[in-house]
Amino acid sequence: MALIVQKFGGSSVANAEKIKRVAGIITDTYKAGNDVVVVLSAQGDTTDDLIEKAMEINPKPSKREMDMLLSTGEQISISLCAMCIEGMGIPVISLTGWQIGMITNSTYSNARIKKVGCDRIRKELDKRRIVIVAGFQGINKYDDITTLGRGGSDTTAVAIAAAMHADLCQIYTDVDGVYTADPRKVQGARKLQEITYDEMLELASMGAQVLHNRSVEMAKRYCVDLEVLSSYQRVPGTKVKEVTNMEQTKISGIAKDNDTVSIGIVGLKDEPGIAFKLFRVLAAKKINVDIILQSAAKDSSQDISFTISKNDTEACVNALEEYKSVLGFSKIIVNTKVSKISIVGAGMMSASGIAALMFEALYDAKVNISMISTSEIKISVIVDEQYADRAVQSIHNKFFGD
Ligand code: ASP
Ligand code: MG
């Protein structure tokens, strides 16, 4: 007998029919003799609809009241799902965040979990009940309801799995796992059986939004074995864990990120402190910089290019213009028509020639590279947006083609 935490996302519980399907998965796990704790998100677009309702009344509501409102979505899901399981004649109870002692800090709308109580859940499991917990919500030291940030139910599930020392935390969603590349766009993309936490984090931060990032970080910290799988097809998903051994591939996945802008600063002085001053200006505006490239100096001047998220473009250019005299550059070149393509794989640490293979694939596809950056388990390149899909396909063929 095992203790299994199962989380179902909003689309998996969107209506009565879907709740019945989910109840089938839950009760089958229970009937196999396991202890089952379920975490649910709000049904379908409920959270968005609630936000819209709030905006009609007050466009600037306090975050405390916002959490009061948004937390209701999950409460609807858990009670409905519990009723469904009751109807099947199986013992079940639904519990909110405060009922299980999900203690968070006081940052309304983006609270961090401080402690997860286990006593109540344990007591209910001991009575052989299925326990259904509201995701996304907690309670702070003032006994007020908080929420964990959009997509936070994944984090609720992992936190409970960690606190209860669960054997497995299953995240059910509308995709059936993590793929080598976006299966809707890349021919031959296939589902991974396993992936490491670090690889998952890298892929997630580049747009493969299968899991909430914070949940993966937490799973890594507490060594919670995760599995991402589909609520619609009963097939094995992708396991996310510390080390993987089954697939001896060079890389695990390829991601394309269109939320990238490259900024070139031309004619900076070639003297100590310039990079410091430049990036301090950006840091002060909380602008996150990704890839940085400094060209070799010529005529005592130099160029520095870097990439940022599209949202930050205006703030970045304004900040640079404001400090133009201090930084002493001649012009700023903004290019919004770029994509970042990254290959990710823990196997890179021990294999050589991975970068060369990637660059060969780009050469095959006749795609020019404008920036390159590497880390232990990732290689990213910046390319012209219009060739990005072709580039991804070519890289995929190179690493995963037979
Ligand atoms: N219902 C919340 C949201 O939509 C939390 C979640 O789905 O995980 O963001
Ligand atoms: Mg949701």
Side-chain angles (χ1 to χ4, degrees), residues 196-339:
T196 68
Y197 298 120
D198 290 325
E199 290 170 329
M200 190 66 236
L201 283 169
E202 291 284 11
L203 288 174
S205 67
M206 291 175 310
Q209 279 308 352
V210 216
L211 291 172
H212 200 221
N213 256 8
R214 265 166 65 198
S215 71
V216 183
E217 280 160 12
M218 190 181 290
K220 177 177 151 88
R221 186 156 359 112
Y222 296 101
C223 292
V224 175
D225 278 357
L226 290 179
E227 184 177 13
V228 177
L229 63 183
S230 160
S231 337
Y232 305 104
Q233 298 156 278
R234 303 242 185 152
V235 292
T238 301
K239 294 243 164 73
V240 188
K241 47 197 237 182
E242 187 54 55
V243 281
T244 70
N245 39 30
M246 293 183 66
E247 289 168 288
Q248 298 292 340
T249 50
K250 293 194 173 87
I251 65 168
S252 291
I254 305 169
K256 179 184 81 166
D257 180 3
N258 279 337
D259 179 29
T260 291
V261 174
S262 84
I263 309 278
I265 316 285
V266 180
L268 285 158
K269 278 179 249 162
D270 184 23
E271 61 180 39
I274 287 295
F276 162 59
K277 285 175 193 158
L278 172 62
F279 292 108
R280 185 179 53 181
V281 166
L282 302 180
K285 302 278 178 199
K286 299 223 168 3
I287 295 168
N288 207 9
V289 175
D290 187 22
I291 303 178
I292 299 174
L293 191 82
Q294 176 174 320
S295 66
K298 49 178 193 311
D299 324 323
S300 76
S301 84
Q302 63 175 352
D303 305 341
I304 292 183
S305 306
F306 53 88
T307 63
I308 55 173
S309 165
K310 279 195 171 130
N311 286 330
D312 289 332
T313 312
E314 210 189 306
C316 176
V317 172
N318 291 343
L320 292 170
E321 290 293 355
E322 191 183 333
Y323 288 90
K324 187 165 183 182
S325 55
V326 184
L327 299 168
F329 56 86
S330 56
K331 63 174 173 185
I332 305 174
I333 300 170
V334 178
N335 187 355
T336 55
K337 302 244 174 307
V338 293
S339 292

Side-chain angles (χ1 to χ4, degrees), residues 7 9-10 41-42 44 47-48 70 74 135-136 149-154:
K7 183 258 171 179
S41 292
T47 310
D48 292 321
L70 296 193
E74 273 65 17
F136 178 56
R150 296 305 306 271
S153 299
D154 288 349

Side-chain angles (χ1 to χ4, degrees), residues 7-11 40-48 51 70 73-74 135-137 147-156 212:
K7 183 258 171 179
F8 296 89
S11 54
L40 299 182
S41 292
Q43 292 185 283
D45 297 327
T46 302
T47 310
D48 292 321
I51 293 173
L70 296 193
E74 273 65 17
F136 178 56
Q137 58 175 260
T147 65
L148 306 179
R150 296 305 306 271
S153 299
D154 288 349
T155 303
T156 304
H212 200 221

Side-chain angles (χ1 to χ4, degrees), residues 14-318:
N15 55 39
E17 189 200 330
K18 288 181 174 180
I19 288 180
K20 285 179 189 160
R21 189 201 311 264
V22 159
I25 297 176
I26 297 167
T27 51
D28 282 353
T29 312
Y30 171 88
K31 285 186 212 150
N34 301 297
D35 279 341
V36 187
V37 179
V38 176
V39 173
L40 299 182
S41 292
Q43 292 185 283
D45 297 327
T46 302
T47 310
D48 292 321
D49 295 344
L50 289 172
I51 293 173
E52 219 169 274
K53 268 198 195 353
M55 295 304 128
E56 282 171 18
I57 304 252
N58 176 355
K60 278 195 178 342
S62 68
K63 290 190 167 163
R64 182 200 180 274
E65 295 309 328
M66 213 50 199
D67 282 1
M68 197 64 153
L69 178 68
L70 296 193
S71 62
T72 61
E74 273 65 17
Q75 209 168 318
I76 296 174
S77 302
I78 59 170
S79 49
L80 289 176
C81 186
M83 288 172 196
C84 182
I85 293 173
E86 266 177 8
M88 299 163 81
I90 292 172
V92 60
I93 186 167
S94 67
L95 297 169
T96 62
W98 72 262
Q99 285 177 303
I100 65 156
M102 176 65 72
I103 314 291
T104 73
N105 68 8
S106 295
T107 314
Y108 296 106
S109 89
N110 199 20
R112 302 280 146 159
I113 296 171
K114 294 178 87 165
K115 192 170 162 270
V116 186
C118 298
D119 297 353
R120 180 71 192 267
I121 296 179
R122 182 49 49 222
K123 218 162 83 192
E124 301 298 344
L125 291 176
D126 287 346
K127 292 183 196 155
R128 265 313 269 158
R129 286 177 168 161
I130 293 170
V131 179
I132 305 188
V133 179
F136 178 56
Q137 58 175 260
I139 187 168
N140 65 17
K141 63 181 176 198
Y142 309 112
D143 286 349
D144 283 338
I145 294 174
T146 53
T147 65
L148 306 179
R150 296 305 306 271
S153 299
D154 288 349
T155 303
T156 304
V158 174
I160 292 174
M164 304 278 310
H165 302 286
D167 298 284
L168 180 63
C169 180
Q170 295 182 315
I171 308 282
Y172 286 86
T173 164
D174 43 11
V175 296
D176 63 353
V178 182
Y179 280 73
T180 52
D182 185 345
R184 290 162 305 181
K185 295 204 182 116
V186 179
Q187 248 182 0
R190 58 178 180 78
K191 187 163 70 184
L192 294 162
Q193 286 175 288
E194 300 185 332
I195 186 169
T196 68
Y197 298 120
D198 290 325
E199 290 170 329
M200 190 66 236
L201 283 169
E202 291 284 11
L203 288 174
S205 67
M206 291 175 310
Q209 279 308 352
V210 216
L211 291 172
H212 200 221
N213 256 8
R214 265 166 65 198
S215 71
V216 183
E217 280 160 12
M218 190 181 290
K220 177 177 151 88
R221 186 156 359 112
Y222 296 101
C223 292
V224 175
D225 278 357
L226 290 179
E227 184 177 13
V228 177
L229 63 183
S230 160
S231 337
Y232 305 104
Q233 298 156 278
R234 303 242 185 152
V235 292
T238 301
K239 294 243 164 73
V240 188
K241 47 197 237 182
E242 187 54 55
V243 281
T244 70
N245 39 30
M246 293 183 66
E247 289 168 288
Q248 298 292 340
T249 50
K250 293 194 173 87
I251 65 168
S252 291
I254 305 169
K256 179 184 81 166
D257 180 3
N258 279 337
D259 179 29
T260 291
V261 174
S262 84
I263 309 278
I265 316 285
V266 180
L268 285 158
K269 278 179 249 162
D270 184 23
E271 61 180 39
I274 287 295
F276 162 59
K277 285 175 193 158
L278 172 62
F279 292 108
R280 185 179 53 181
V281 166
L282 302 180
K285 302 278 178 199
K286 299 223 168 3
I287 295 168
N288 207 9
V289 175
D290 187 22
I291 303 178
I292 299 174
L293 191 82
Q294 176 174 320
S295 66
K298 49 178 193 311
D299 324 323
S300 76
S301 84
Q302 63 175 352
D303 305 341
I304 292 183
S305 306
F306 53 88
T307 63
I308 55 173
S309 165
K310 279 195 171 130
N311 286 330
D312 289 332
T313 312
E314 210 189 306
C316 176
V317 172
N318 291 343

